[in-house]
């Protein structure tokens, strides 16, 4: 059980990434694909947080002498995740905007039938 | 030292002001990208002599590395940022007349953001910052591909977005893994520590990052989005995507493989991938009847050639590859911009509808022909010395495999010649029955096109003018220790 206990966040992150990839690859509905992208993004964010996480850790405030520097959570991945969430929102908004326009043009969002461009 | 952060900061500040300026005057907005790229061009060129002696490194916010973000302007970075600014200047002058309908303020804002993303990517020395600029570049290009809002553009943008977003998610995963392994985000610091990392973990991280960047760099088999996106976008955006965006993606791959990971053992894999990219691109281009799709596939082929030369990884071949990158950018910008007004006048993208354009639009057709000859590699244009350098460097490598591969590359070039000459034949040698009157592209569009044509001929006649810069760029990529020392001190 200690393996599960130590690596539960990594397992969860890998699971979310794989679920997201599976949805992107297997689904034909554009909204579902966008949901897949969102799940993939969440998995990546969880992974980033897990990289810097320490169990029962504290915030990295060096001006407080009662906090042990060895038990402080790494703040860099959290800053990265903040940026990554903002980027994710931009992509999600643009993707949904495109989906609205596509639905107006084609009347459906079935990716198997949206293929006017060919190799 | 002061100049380097301004390369990113000035255009970024202007891009944020554009929507407000757009409320006052829509006409004025179109001139801002011209000014911003002119500024970047002047600053980049003025930094080159300094960077040839010693790379210019700027520490953002005064934090010394590995904390804080560094901007690193070596010969490679400044070569690329000069190219981005030059292409941006040419395309934005052309856009003054070409982009006349639709949400023009949004167009110019996104265009400027795209240029910032490209400039930032080639100048940054921090791998997460590379990711952020990469996202700025890609998100603005997704939106610009769908600028016309027609069926093809929307479909292409949706494909591009899904593929690109999945790729950038994987890239971020790779960066997170790299941070977990080395505890730093500074590229030089990672490069210094990567040797003590378990090789399997480093390889997984490298693979994830290369896949993410390779999608933008259009390396086979990650290039399914490219022909659709490049052919459905407005011609100005096709020019900038083809001339700048994919090259910058390729720069990312090369920087990560050479400098950050020093992964010389995957270079043979990259060489084979590059030859496949080249053959797939050229063969598909030959089969196209739509001129913009043909040019888009030709970009895939050229990317294959550039990656081939860089991945052979001798000093001469990297210099040749960067030379090819320069000549491809110049030629492809002219080709797409010239094709833009030809399509505008004839009303169709079919190659057959361009017959007789040589007498109808002589100056535009002339520019198209010069750029096509340069891309195929005829002297005295810029494409000749670049291809010559690549072939000479690859033949100088030991081993039969390089001889076989260079044979395939030359075969690809022959196909390239075949489909470009077919277009030239349609332009000049097929006469339409009824003689249409002469109606060339507007002067404001011809001036930037001919500026690039002059540069193509000038570089073709005096290749020595830039080989010094290219040689030191090649040594920057090959000498990791030098890179690490110049950042970390």
């Amino acid at each position: 059980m200690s393996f599960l206990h130590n690596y539960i966040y990594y397992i969860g992150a890998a699971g979310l990434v794989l679920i997201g990839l599976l949805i992107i690859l297997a689904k034909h509905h554009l909204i579902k694909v966008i949901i897949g992208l969102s799940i993939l993004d969440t998995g990546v964010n969880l992974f980033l947080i897990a990289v810097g996480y320490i169990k029962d850790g504290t915030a990295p405030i060096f001006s407080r002498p009662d906090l042990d520097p060895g038990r402080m959570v790494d703040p860099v991945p959290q800053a990265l995740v903040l940026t990554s969430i903002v980027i994710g929102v931009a992509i999600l908004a643009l993707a949904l905007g495109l989906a609205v326009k596509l639905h107006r043009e084609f009347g459906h969002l079935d990716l198997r039938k949206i293929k006017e461009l060919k190799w | 030292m002061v100049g380097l952060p301004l390369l990113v900061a000035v255009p970024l500040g202007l891009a944020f002001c554009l929507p407000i300026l757009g409320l006052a005057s829509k006409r004025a907005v179109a001139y801002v990208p011209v000014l911003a790229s002119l500024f970047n061009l002047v600053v980049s060129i003025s930094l080159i002599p300094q960077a040839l002696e010693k790379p210019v490194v700027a520490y953002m916010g005064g934090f010394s590395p590995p904390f804080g973000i560094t901007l690193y302007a070596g010969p490679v970075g400044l070569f690329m940022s000069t190219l981005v600014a030059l292409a941006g200047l040419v395309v934005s002058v052309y856009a003054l007349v070409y982009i006349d309908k639709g949400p023009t303020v949004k167009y110019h804002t996104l265009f400027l953001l795209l240029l910032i993303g490209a400039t930032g990517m080639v100048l940054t020395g921090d791998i997460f910052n590379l990711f952020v600029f990469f996202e700025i570049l890609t998100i603005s290009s997704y939106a610009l591909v769908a600028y016309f809002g027609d069926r093809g553009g929307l479909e292409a943008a949706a494909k591009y977005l899904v593929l690109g977003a999945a790729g950038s998610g994987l890239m971020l995963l790779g960066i997170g893994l790299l941070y977990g392994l080395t505890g730093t985000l500074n590229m030089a610091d990672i490069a210094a520590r990567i040797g003590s990392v378990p090789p399997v973990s480093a390889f997984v991280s490298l693979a994830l990052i290369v896949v993410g960047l390779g999608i933008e760099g259009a390396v086979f088999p990650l290039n399914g989005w490219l022909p659709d996106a490049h052919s459905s976008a407005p011609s100005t955006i096709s020019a900038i995507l083809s001339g700048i965006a994919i090259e910058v993606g390729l720069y990312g791959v090369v920087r990560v493989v050479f400098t950050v990971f020093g992964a010389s053992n995957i270079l043979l894999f990259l060489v084979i991938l590059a030859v496949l990219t080249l053959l797939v691109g050229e063969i598909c281009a030959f089969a196209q009847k739509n001129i913009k799709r043909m040019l888009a596939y030709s970009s895939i082929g050229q990317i294959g050639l550039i990656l081939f030369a860089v991945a052979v990884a001798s000093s001469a071949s990297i210099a040749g590859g960067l030379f090819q990158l320069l000549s491809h950018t110049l030629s492809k910008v002219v080709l797409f911009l010239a094709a833009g007004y030809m399509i505008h006048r004839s009303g169709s993208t079919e190659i057959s509808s361009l017959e007789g354009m040589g007498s109808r639009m002589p100056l535009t057709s002339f520019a198209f022909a010069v750029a096509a000859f340069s891309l195929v590699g005829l002297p005295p244009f810029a494409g000749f010395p670049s291809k010559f350098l690549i072939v000479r460097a690859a033949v100088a490598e030991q081993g039969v495999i390089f001889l076989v591969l260079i044979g395939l590359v030359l075969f690809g070039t022959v196909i390239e010649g075949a489909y470009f000459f077919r277009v030239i034949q349609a332009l000049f040698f097929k006469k339409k029955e009824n003689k249409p009157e002469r109606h060339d592209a507007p002067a404001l569009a011809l001036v930037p096109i001919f500026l690039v044509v002059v540069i193509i001929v000038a570089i073709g006649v005096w290749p020595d003018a830039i080989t010094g810069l290219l040689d030191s760029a090649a040594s920057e990529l090959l000498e990791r220790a030098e890179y690490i020392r110049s950042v970390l001190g």
Side-chain angles (χ1 to χ4, degrees):
Chain A
M1 281 308 279
S2 76
F3 174 80
L4 205 62
H5 192 251
N6 290 338
Y7 291 99
I8 185 72
Y9 296 112
Y10 292 103
I11 295 168
L16 284 175
V17 169
L18 292 177
I19 291 170
L21 273 181
L22 180 71
I23 295 176
I24 295 168
L25 293 174
K27 293 292 173 185
H28 302 297
H29 195 276
L30 183 59
I31 296 289
K32 289 184 184 168
V33 171
I34 294 171
I35 292 172
L37 282 177
S38 192
I39 295 176
L40 175 73
D41 244 17
T42 314
V44 174
N45 291 345
L46 180 59
F47 176 78
L48 282 175
I49 287 289
V51 164
Y53 182 72
I54 297 172
K55 196 166 186 305
D56 301 326
T58 60
I61 305 170
F62 284 95
S63 57
R64 276 180 55 185
D66 55 318
L67 295 180
D68 172 16
R71 300 216 54 79
M72 286 176 182
V73 172
D74 186 353
V76 175
Q78 302 183 359
L80 303 190
V81 166
L82 201 59
T83 317
S84 153
I85 289 173
V86 173
I87 291 171
V89 168
I91 291 183
L92 197 61
L94 187 60
L96 290 173
L98 276 177
V100 170
K101 288 279 255 181
L102 274 168
H103 193 269
R104 272 187 206 146
E105 287 284 334
F106 289 85
H108 60 85
L109 284 175
D110 191 339
L111 292 175
R112 281 168 300 184
K113 293 183 199 146
I114 303 179
K115 46 177 185 185
E116 296 190 344
L117 305 166
K118 289 218 179 73
W119 271 61
Chain B
M1 280 305 220
V2 181
L4 190 52
L6 291 182
L7 279 179
V8 179
V10 168
L12 197 57
L14 286 173
F16 283 125
C17 298
L18 273 187
I20 303 169
L21 183 63
L23 295 177
S25 159
K26 288 203 167 184
R27 193 69 207 139
V29 167
Y31 291 91
V32 175
V34 179
L35 290 177
S37 24
L38 192 63
F39 173 82
N40 267 17
L41 187 63
V42 171
V43 174
S44 299
I45 291 179
S46 71
L47 281 173
I48 286 178
Q50 204 183 334
L52 281 179
E53 288 172 14
K54 189 170 163 293
V56 186
V57 185
Y59 307 118
M60 296 292 97
F63 293 101
S64 61
F67 310 104
I69 292 169
T70 45
L71 290 185
Y72 182 92
V76 182
L78 283 177
F79 166 70
M80 294 291 291
S81 81
T82 309
L83 206 56
V84 169
L86 177 66
L89 177 67
V90 168
V91 173
S92 55
V93 172
Y94 179 92
L96 289 177
V97 284
Y98 187 75
I99 298 294
D100 52 357
K101 49 185 180 293
T104 51
V105 175
K106 286 178 189 157
Y107 169 88
H108 293 293
T109 312
L110 288 168
F111 180 77
L112 198 49
L113 282 172
L114 202 161
L115 292 183
I116 294 158
T119 312
M121 257 185 91
V122 297
L123 289 180
T124 185
D126 180 284
I127 196 149
F128 189 75
N129 202 222
L130 181 85
F131 171 76
V132 172
F133 280 122
F134 177 67
E135 288 296 325
I136 294 178
L137 167 72
T138 50
I139 294 177
S140 36
S141 51
Y142 305 147
L144 283 169
V145 166
Y147 178 71
F148 285 142
D150 58 338
R151 286 179 155 226
L154 290 170
E155 183 191 335
K159 270 185 203 169
Y160 186 14
L161 187 142
V162 170
L163 207 55
S168 64
L170 294 180
M171 181 183 165
L172 188 57
L173 200 62
I175 291 173
L177 189 58
L178 199 56
Y179 179 76
L181 293 169
T182 60
T184 174
L185 289 168
N186 187 297
M187 292 209 270
D189 205 18
I190 294 173
R193 295 179 191 206
I194 199 77
S196 55
V197 163
V200 176
S201 315
F203 177 74
V204 171
S205 158
L206 171 68
L208 289 168
I209 297 177
V210 166
V211 166
L213 288 167
I215 287 179
E216 185 61 24
V219 179
F220 181 79
L222 304 170
N223 51 15
W225 59 272
L226 186 143
D228 296 347
H230 286 202
S231 60
S232 309
S235 287
T236 45
I237 296 308
S238 313
I240 212 77
L241 284 182
S242 196
I244 292 300
I246 51 179
E247 273 81 357
V248 170
L250 202 64
Y251 162 84
V253 173
V254 170
R255 177 62 93 195
V256 165
V257 169
F258 277 84
T259 306
V260 178
F261 283 88
S264 51
N265 42 1
I266 70 157
L267 288 178
L268 189 62
F269 174 70
L270 282 183
V271 167
I272 292 170
L273 218 53
V275 173
L276 275 176
T277 311
L278 180 124
L279 289 178
V280 167
E282 303 293 17
I283 290 170
C284 289
F286 187 73
Q288 298 303 315
K289 294 191 176 67
N290 175 331
I291 179 130
K292 283 182 79 174
R293 281 185 92 74
M294 189 197 90
L295 293 176
Y297 279 110
S298 144
S299 295
I300 297 180
Q302 290 284 320
I303 282 294
L305 181 57
I306 298 166
L307 183 63
F308 170 80
V310 174
V312 169
S314 68
S315 164
S317 76
I318 293 179
L322 293 174
F323 202 151
Q324 180 66 27
L325 195 153
L326 170 75
S327 76
H328 171 242
T329 298
L330 296 176
S331 311
K332 229 5 124 28
V333 166
V334 172
L335 287 171
F336 268 117
L337 295 185
Y341 263 102
M342 288 186 198
I343 294 165
H344 196 268
R345 294 274 188 263
S346 73
S348 159
T349 54
E350 297 294 309
I351 292 174
S352 55
S353 73
L354 299 180
E355 284 170 10
M357 275 293 172
S359 52
R360 201 173 155 203
M361 305 174 72
L363 291 173
T364 321
S365 306
F366 173 74
F368 187 95
V370 168
F373 288 154
S374 169
L375 208 58
V376 173
L378 298 183
F381 305 112
F384 173 69
S386 62
K387 281 196 175 167
F388 182 72
L389 274 177
I390 292 174
V391 173
R392 201 177 60 179
V395 171
E397 283 296 303
Q398 302 299 318
V400 183
I401 182 153
F402 285 106
L403 282 181
V404 175
L405 290 175
I406 198 70
L408 289 172
V409 166
L410 289 175
F411 174 65
T413 305
V414 172
I415 304 178
E416 190 172 43
Y419 62 77
F420 270 117
F421 291 148
R422 205 177 55 192
V423 179
I424 306 272
Q425 186 197 23
L427 287 178
F428 290 101
F429 299 108
K430 286 193 178 165
K431 292 279 179 277
K432 277 267 167 86
E433 300 290 303
N434 50 342
K435 273 226 162 182
E437 72 217 74
R438 196 183 145 171
H439 191 187
D440 226 317
L444 203 53
L446 283 175
V447 168
I449 291 178
F450 272 87
L451 174 72
V452 183
V453 167
V454 168
I455 297 175
I456 288 176
V457 176
I459 291 177
V461 177
W462 297 288
D464 289 346
I466 59 158
T467 42
L469 176 64
L470 295 174
D471 285 338
S472 50
S475 65
E476 181 196 328
L477 283 174
L478 284 174
E479 284 164 27
R480 291 174 73 214
E482 192 62 36
Y483 180 90
I484 296 168
R485 210 178 54 225
S486 58
V487 176
L488 297 179

